[in-house]
Amino acid sequence: MKKIAAIITAVVMLASPFVVNASPQQDLKDFRSFFKKKFPDTPMNDFINGVYSVHKASREQWEAFEEFPSYEIYVDKGEALFNNTKFKNGKGFKNCFPRAKRGIKGNYPYFDTKKGKVVTLEGTINKCITSNGSKKWGWKKGKMAHLSAYLSYKTRGQTIKVKTPKGKKAVAAYNRGKAHFYAKRGQLNMSCADCHYYYSGNKIRADILSPAIGHVSHFPVYRNKWAKKTGDGMGTLHRRYGGCNKQVRARPFKAQSAEYSALEYFHTYMSNGLKWNGPGQRK
Amino acid sequence: MRLSARIVNTAASVAVLIGCLSLAAPAVSVAGAVEDGKKIAFSKKKGNCLACHAIKGGKLPGNIGPPLVAMKARFPVKNDLKKQITDARVKNKHSIMPPFGPHQILKSGEIDKVVEFIYTL
């Protein structure tokens, strides 16, 4: 992957088949009904199970994995980080997230009107660390993914309910994420929508493409592929975004960049009404 | 779509070999072009056509695009096939199929070889 010579950065914004000016509410309605029609046998909330919601054959094997999930020890590590981390000034995560044990993942992402930007869980974790005088963590894996896994685990079963974007700036951020989702990019000229909307359920080589609805529900995720190097397969949603951008030979954006945060904002809003079920386990 | 480093390396050295051979023997036979075309079409680093199309002789094909069969019947004019492989957007503006020519995924000589191979299907 690293040696891809011709990484094309230009994004071709062809007149895409989506309606640019539809309201977020209308988008959400259309998104849901599209997948309902495409996969009539899948109950709406089952889309939180990703590719396994549309592919019976691989589901059994996955369910067997889920009985002794590989992410479990990382949820425990995350819990220890939550309880035991002491910042430079003596404070800990409890001071930033007093309600963590009741599940706070569902508060993110949201648009902060004062700051004029999308706020994510991972962003808030690092904010907590730095505002208490300690050094911030890496964004995509390791401790960040472990703590995020623990906080997600505590949120299991709650409903995804991102507030409908209101106001010029919030709508602009939403539209930026939406544009990213539908834009063709990279040397191979493919959009997220090509693989996870129009052709979801199809096979790309031996991989079944998961539907985009429900995608965000189970992050961070333990991937066998990510575990190959160090044994620790946990990674955040933005780590996955980068991987999917690279697959089409596009230069990935930075994790927690405004671009990926906007994408997460749109992507999560499109799963409103489904349940949080992180962390997840994937190939 | 995922490239394992080893496969990439092998594919790259195969490509280099092909390059040297065609330098040494400028008159590439049609049979040679078909063979080369097949390698380019199947290589993950090059055409990777199997990501989306079932093709005779290829393993674990995807099913995003139609199986590539009966090509002479589908494309009585060979040049139309070349146009499709060069830039699928000409026929379908929103095609998921990569624009192999305009995005320089394949060189024009490589596309010619792929066309020779696909036309035998």
Side-chain angles (χ1 to χ4, degrees):
Chain A
M1 281 318 279
K2 290 213 184 86
K3 274 219 212 145
I4 290 164
I7 290 180
I8 295 195
T9 39
V11 173
V12 188
M13 289 286 292
L14 286 171
S16 290
F18 71 99
V19 188
V20 183
N21 288 320
S23 70
Q25 287 106 317
Q26 188 60 46
D27 287 344
L28 176 57
K29 245 173 102 186
D30 294 347
F31 214 77
R32 286 172 67 94
S33 65
F34 174 86
F35 284 109
K36 210 168 170 172
K37 263 198 220 121
K38 196 166 179 39
F39 303 104
D41 297 338
T42 303
M44 200 25 89
N45 195 55
D46 204 51
F47 285 120
I48 60 177
N49 296 318
V51 66
Y52 309 107
S53 68
V54 298
H55 193 245
K56 295 249 156 53
S58 49
R59 183 160 184 139
E60 262 174 47
Q61 195 194 8
W62 171 68
E63 280 174 349
F65 271 130
E66 278 276 320
E67 282 181 32
F68 303 99
S70 310
Y71 54 70
E72 215 158 45
I73 57 166
Y74 298 103
V75 170
D76 293 345
K77 277 185 203 254
E79 180 168 20
L81 283 168
F82 184 84
N83 289 326
N84 307 332
T85 302
K86 270 228 161 55
F87 302 128
K88 280 259 166 67
N89 61 5
K91 289 191 176 165
F93 283 112
K94 269 168 268 186
N95 298 97
C96 301
F97 303 107
R99 290 172 43 88
K101 296 202 163 145
R102 279 182 274 168
I104 53 159
K105 163 99 172 167
N107 299 341
Y108 306 91
Y110 69 91
F111 192 83
D112 184 324
T113 326
K114 272 195 217 118
K115 291 192 196 115
K117 62 173 203 171
V118 174
V119 176
T120 63
L121 174 63
E122 285 80 7
T124 311
I125 290 174
N126 257 345
K127 186 101 215 147
C128 172
I129 297 174
T130 53
S131 65
N132 285 300
S134 292
K135 226 181 120 217
K136 72 173 180 188
W137 292 347
W139 290 117
K140 294 196 286 196
K141 52 188 174 185
K143 286 192 267 188
M144 179 62 80
H146 304 160
L147 180 55
S148 173
Y150 168 66
L151 296 173
S152 303
Y153 187 73
K154 287 287 167 194
T155 309
R156 276 192 175 185
Q158 296 178 22
T159 303
I160 302 176
K161 41 175 193 264
V162 177
K163 276 210 199 97
T164 300
K166 277 211 186 72
K168 235 186 179 164
K169 282 185 178 167
V171 172
Y174 168 87
N175 280 332
R176 181 177 182 176
K178 177 177 164 184
H180 188 110
F181 185 80
Y182 288 99
K184 300 272 195 182
R185 70 184 64 242
Q187 189 184 30
L188 299 187
N189 202 50
M190 292 181 204
S191 65
C192 315
D194 279 336
C195 287
H196 296 294
Y197 190 80
Y198 301 111
Y199 288 100
S200 55
N202 278 70
K203 270 196 299 190
I204 189 156
R205 206 70 204 243
D207 288 319
I208 316 282
L209 292 165
S210 55
I213 192 166
H215 253 172
V216 297
S217 68
H218 49 278
F219 274 82
V221 146
Y222 180 98
R223 287 186 73 199
N224 299 344
K225 183 186 170 187
W226 286 340
K228 273 185 194 149
K229 262 198 200 141
T230 60
D232 176 355
M234 293 303 303
T236 62
L237 183 62
H238 291 204
R239 184 181 184 188
R240 190 38 139 149
Y241 286 167
C244 276
N245 277 165
K246 279 191 250 174
Q247 285 191 86
V248 296
R249 302 182 193 164
R251 180 173 295 147
F253 290 83
K254 289 219 160 74
Q256 299 299 322
S257 57
E259 185 76 10
Y260 280 172
S261 299
L263 178 58
E264 177 177 344
Y265 188 40
F266 165 78
H267 206 183
T268 311
Y269 186 67
M270 287 300 108
S271 290
N272 262 10
L274 308 187
K275 304 278 189 217
W276 292 107
N277 67 333
Q281 165 125 4
R282 294 292 184 269
K283 275 205 292 185
Chain B
M1 291 305 289
R2 300 209 201 90
L3 309 168
S4 98
R6 211 184 54 223
I7 293 176
V8 171
N9 285 338
T10 331
S13 45
V14 168
V16 170
L17 263 178
I18 292 170
C20 298
L21 285 177
S22 52
L23 271 184
V28 182
S29 67
V30 173
V34 169
E35 244 339 279
D36 290 353
K38 182 174 180 176
K39 279 191 196 127
I40 296 163
F42 285 9
S43 148
K44 288 199 184 186
K45 195 80 195 276
K46 291 283 183 178
N48 201 15
C49 315
L50 288 166
C52 299
H53 297 280
I55 301 172
K56 194 171 165 236
K59 287 195 196 100
L60 295 174
N63 60 5
I64 290 174
L68 298 182
V69 291
M71 280 294 126
K72 290 196 180 93
R74 303 271 304 122
F75 293 87
V77 179
K78 204 199 235 176
N79 201 45
D80 291 343
L81 177 62
K82 180 172 176 180
K83 281 188 198 153
Q84 168 70 31
I85 296 173
T86 304
D87 192 352
R89 295 172 303 186
V90 174
K91 261 204 195 150
N92 170 11
K93 197 160 80 169
H94 304 295
S95 182
I96 190 179
M97 178 162 153
F100 288 98
H103 275 216
Q104 297 171 8
I105 303 162
L106 297 176
K107 298 193 193 81
S108 98
E110 292 174 323
I111 291 178
D112 289 336
K113 288 173 179 169
V114 170
V115 170
E116 289 303 330
F117 165 59
I118 300 292
Y119 216 50
T120 65
L121 299 170

